[in-house]
Amino acid sequence: MTDQTLIQSGSIPSQVVHPHKRRRQILMYTFLTILVIIYSLPLIGVVLSSLKTTGDIAKNGLWTKPNPVNLANFSEAWKEGNGHTYMVNSFLVTIPATILSITLGVLAGYVFSKLPFPGSEALFLFIIAGMFFPPQIVLIPLFRFFNAVKLYDTLWPMIIVHIAFGIPICTLIMRNFFSTIPNAIRESAVIDGANELQILTRVMLPVSLPALAVLATLQFTWIWNDFLWPIIFTQSDRWRTIMVGLITLKGQYSVAYGVQGALALIASIPTLLIFIFFQRYFIRGLTLGAVKG
Amino acid sequence: MTQNKRLWAAIFLAIPLLFYIVIVIIPLFSSFYFSLTDWNGFNAAYHFIGLDNFKKIISDPNFSNATKNTILWMAAAILVPSVGGLVIALVLNEGIKGSSVYKSLFYLPICLSLAVVGQVWIWIYQPDWGLINTVLRAAHLDNLTLAWLANPNTALAAVILAWSWQQVGLAMVIFLAGLTSIPTELTEASQIDGASYWQSLRHVVVPLLSPATVVVIALAVINSLKSFDIVYIMTQGGPFHKSDTLAMFMYLQSFKSYYMGYGSAIAVVLFAIALVIISFYFRQVSSLEHLYD
């Protein structure tokens, strides 16, 4: 299974069109189209709400054409709804945590693939078991710990926790990727006098871009979308991330569905962009590291 | 040489292991410790109360209710998104034109945060102008309209359905990856031998898909165990604990009622369940390795 087969599957043109095959195709198209429309309704709903005034929703309901089309919801969500602060906070957490979790995964993955030692296989399993842990099992001790070190209600706990919880998946994917690189490449670099850090950064990493892209899209999406850690570790509006901001906004503007819809769309823009531009890496990552929730 | 390799392995593993152990493993053991106390989250002082928290768990109807809901969630998670994802993957794998557009639309919800998904589905279930009730009224079925999220009989199912909407895409991704690894010669050969579409599906395709099926089911089970975000956003476990899951119940006991000792005991139970799933999954891993190639 390569990238190519993943992308191309399903787009192979049908060669011979028998009448019954044609009927079947029409059936499939109809089935798929109806399904896609129903499936997309929730997304259509959020777009509709973001374009409607509160009065319009009250009068005509949510599921009608916006009348008039109202873009003020976006500026209200951004300014009065404090969306700009939340977005900045989310970036401040997501970017460093994504980069550092991948860096640590690269280091560990390299060891498990190219520098094995007695017991390294067991240590590897010990680390990747972390992918299965529900975060609830460490919630209370971490809450206590970050309170004790006076980092409660800052962005630091989220960054640190996301790095740690990202290590299992990053280690798994990097180890599996490095294992596809022949050992002979490493050995010839050793003979040339390179040390392991040089081999990793100059020989291995330049050919690892697909794996790094997979991890970057996955980690960014998961960390950006996280909701649990910020509600545990932050309290003040100043340090809320966008996903928590979205829920708080709901409390403040209990009937301003348009503003809520606009902020939900703003909150989804970064991951939607990743999805649109790096879809193949994202999807590949999901199949590779499917065990992470 | 070996000496050198060991040294580099130690250097590379130091920081990843430090993060993983300090943020994941030590807190895990710490949860065991606090599960034997009556800590309330604020006071510095707490008492050892032995296994009292676990005795309370056994007799707490809210705990058995949350366990029941989590099991129901797992069952639904295995059935709804997996079967849905399989059907869509099979149709998309037929090689019809434009299937990549359909594919993208089914993938799309995976990149959304559960906070956004929950928010959007609240509007689908909204009693006055929500999509479901609007459609029911238009079809003159007014007597079927409900306050879906506030009704004790429908709240849990409503939340699971919203969650499944997102998970369908994930199951589909994995099944599609599995389907592309099945040589078309095999299905063609079975059809030349006179097998109908359903026969070749049942006797050729589905058995060959079993590695993907294991991944999908493992994911469904583990993600069910983690189900928190969407419950928090849509119902907070209500009404009357009807949509409580173990992860939600743990949060409520710990961070709303401040029974942190009791919350830790629930965390320990969650860990025990996760451990059973991990050991089951690791036993299957060898049969899955080719999925990671």
Side-chain angles (χ1 to χ4, degrees):
Chain A
M1 180 180 74
T2 65
D3 276 0
Q4 285 311 310
T5 50
L6 256 183
I7 307 305
Q8 284 166 356
S9 68
S11 52
I12 308 143
S14 43
Q15 301 94 346
V16 199
V17 184
H18 295 294
H20 76 272
K21 209 167 180 181
R22 210 172 142 173
R23 206 180 321 132
R24 198 165 128 189
Q25 282 217 337
I26 293 169
L27 234 131
M28 293 236 172
Y29 272 117
T30 319
F31 172 73
L32 271 180
T33 307
I34 294 170
L35 205 63
V36 151
I37 291 170
I38 296 173
Y39 195 73
S40 306
L41 281 174
L43 295 176
I44 296 167
V46 72
V47 173
L48 281 177
S49 78
S50 73
L51 297 174
K52 291 183 132 205
T53 61
T54 309
D56 186 4
I57 296 177
K59 204 170 108 211
N60 306 315
L62 179 60
W63 304 91
T64 53
K65 198 164 76 62
N67 180 32
V69 171
N70 170 39
L71 292 172
N73 289 331
F74 287 91
S75 66
E76 188 167 354
W78 186 253
K79 289 189 206 122
E80 285 84 7
N82 223 356
H84 60 287
T85 310
Y86 305 147
M87 287 295 274
V88 169
N89 288 340
S90 276
F91 277 113
L92 287 175
V93 169
T94 308
I95 292 173
T98 301
I99 294 172
L100 289 170
S101 62
I102 296 173
T103 308
L104 299 186
V106 164
L107 290 171
Y110 182 72
V111 172
F112 292 124
S113 166
K114 295 291 180 237
L115 308 172
F117 51 88
S120 64
E121 197 59 22
L123 190 61
F124 173 69
L125 288 181
F126 168 72
I127 289 179
I128 65 166
M131 286 192 294
F132 296 85
F133 294 161
Q136 273 75 11
I137 64 179
V138 292
L139 227 48
I140 289 169
L142 287 179
F143 170 73
R144 216 179 129 87
F145 171 72
F146 286 113
N147 258 316
V149 295
K150 303 266 183 278
L151 288 176
Y152 179 75
D153 206 23
T154 68
L155 298 177
W156 289 105
M158 273 105 79
I159 298 174
I160 294 167
V161 167
H162 280 302
I163 293 172
F165 271 82
I167 287 173
I169 181 80
C170 294
T171 303
L172 172 70
I173 288 189
M174 288 319 297
R175 185 201 75 144
N176 290 346
F177 184 82
F178 287 138
S179 299
T180 64
I181 302 175
N183 287 333
I185 292 180
R186 179 187 155 268
E187 278 147 23
S188 69
V190 169
I191 292 163
D192 291 344
N195 66 38
E196 299 296 341
L197 186 64
Q198 289 167 328
I199 298 172
L200 177 59
T201 54
R202 292 185 200 164
V203 181
M204 297 291 172
L205 281 185
V207 296
S208 305
L209 287 178
L212 296 174
V214 160
L215 281 176
T217 53
L218 277 185
Q219 283 295 95
F220 186 95
T221 305
W222 277 322
I223 299 171
W224 183 270
N225 287 342
D226 174 52
F227 176 77
L228 172 64
W229 297 114
I231 63 170
I232 300 293
F233 294 135
T234 59
Q235 191 178 32
S236 60
D237 203 48
R238 175 71 193 84
W239 299 115
R240 272 185 194 130
T241 59
I242 186 73
M243 293 311 158
V244 178
L246 192 62
I247 302 311
T248 332
L249 184 80
K250 193 178 121 196
Q252 284 170 357
Y253 294 66
S254 56
V255 288
Y257 302 108
V259 182
Q260 290 173 29
L263 194 61
L265 279 185
I266 293 174
S268 308
I269 288 172
T271 53
L272 281 173
L273 287 179
I274 284 195
F275 179 79
I276 292 165
F277 291 108
F278 303 105
Q279 189 180 351
R280 79 187 199 123
Y281 294 116
F282 185 73
I283 297 307
R284 180 144 176 77
L286 284 179
T287 36
L288 287 176
V291 284
K292 175 156 175 169
Chain B
M1 197 64 182
T2 316
Q3 208 63 39
N4 208 357
K5 260 174 95 168
R6 296 265 165 91
L7 183 66
W8 279 107
I11 294 171
F12 282 0
L13 279 179
I15 300 175
L17 268 182
L18 182 79
F19 263 89
Y20 184 65
I21 289 173
V22 172
I23 302 298
V24 183
I25 302 302
I26 293 176
L28 174 59
F29 283 98
S30 194
S31 278
F32 289 129
Y33 173 85
F34 284 111
S35 71
L36 306 174
T37 73
D38 64 354
W39 189 46
N40 68 4
F42 299 109
N43 292 3
Y46 51 81
H47 309 94
F48 275 94
I49 53 170
L51 293 173
D52 282 8
N53 284 326
F54 292 94
K55 282 180 199 146
K56 189 175 160 196
I57 276 182
I58 294 169
S59 58
D60 186 347
N62 288 333
F63 177 85
S64 43
N65 168 62
T67 309
K68 187 193 82 190
N69 288 345
T70 303
I71 293 168
L72 281 174
W73 192 302
M74 284 180 183
I78 291 171
L79 281 176
V80 182
S82 312
V83 173
L86 178 62
V87 170
I88 299 169
L90 284 170
V91 173
L92 287 175
N93 200 47
E94 285 288 302
I96 58 174
K97 268 187 208 153
S99 66
S100 62
V101 177
Y102 289 107
K103 231 185 267 181
S104 294
L105 281 167
F106 286 115
Y107 287 154
L108 187 66
I110 312 176
C111 76
L112 298 178
S113 165
L114 280 168
V116 173
V117 173
Q119 180 62 65
V120 173
W121 278 81
I122 287 175
W123 295 343
I124 300 221
Y125 294 126
Q126 210 278 348
D128 302 322
W129 46 259
L131 180 66
I132 295 180
N133 283 359
T134 304
V135 170
L136 286 173
R137 281 193 204 103
H140 301 290
L141 294 167
D142 296 53
N143 52 340
L144 292 182
T145 60
L146 283 175
W148 303 95
L149 290 172
N151 186 311
N153 297 321
T154 54
L156 180 67
V159 177
I160 295 177
L161 183 68
W163 179 82
S164 302
W165 174 74
Q166 191 195 40
Q167 299 286 312
V168 163
L170 185 59
M172 184 192 81
V173 168
I174 298 161
F175 279 127
L176 270 175
L179 281 171
T180 51
S181 68
I182 298 176
T184 44
E185 295 84 35
L186 278 178
T187 45
E188 275 164 13
S190 73
Q191 271 159 13
I192 288 166
D193 290 346
S196 70
Y197 177 78
W198 296 110
Q199 282 170 329
S200 93
L201 186 68
R202 208 181 124 204
H203 299 290
V204 181
V205 178
V206 170
L208 285 170
L209 266 183
S210 57
T213 311
V214 172
V215 174
V216 169
I217 289 175
L219 262 183
V221 171
I222 203 77
N223 285 345
S224 307
L225 203 58
K226 291 177 177 176
S227 52
F228 169 81
D229 303 31
I230 200 159
V231 183
Y232 183 98
I233 287 144
M234 295 183 80
T235 62
Q236 296 254 331
F240 319 115
H241 298 284
K242 284 291 179 188
S243 59
D244 239 358
T245 59
L246 279 174
M248 186 71 211
F249 184 60
M250 185 274 167
Y251 171 84
L252 289 174
Q253 291 296 315
S254 313
F255 291 90
K256 291 283 178 220
S257 309
Y258 299 104
Y259 299 132
M260 294 243 175
Y262 189 51
S264 298
I266 303 165
V268 169
V269 174
L270 267 173
F271 177 69
I273 301 170
L275 214 56
V276 173
I277 300 168
I278 293 168
S279 59
F280 169 79
Y281 189 77
F282 277 3
R283 233 177 291 158
Q284 299 282 333
V285 156
S286 54
S287 71
L288 297 175
E289 298 240 291
H290 76 268
L291 258 185
Y292 293 135
D293 291 339

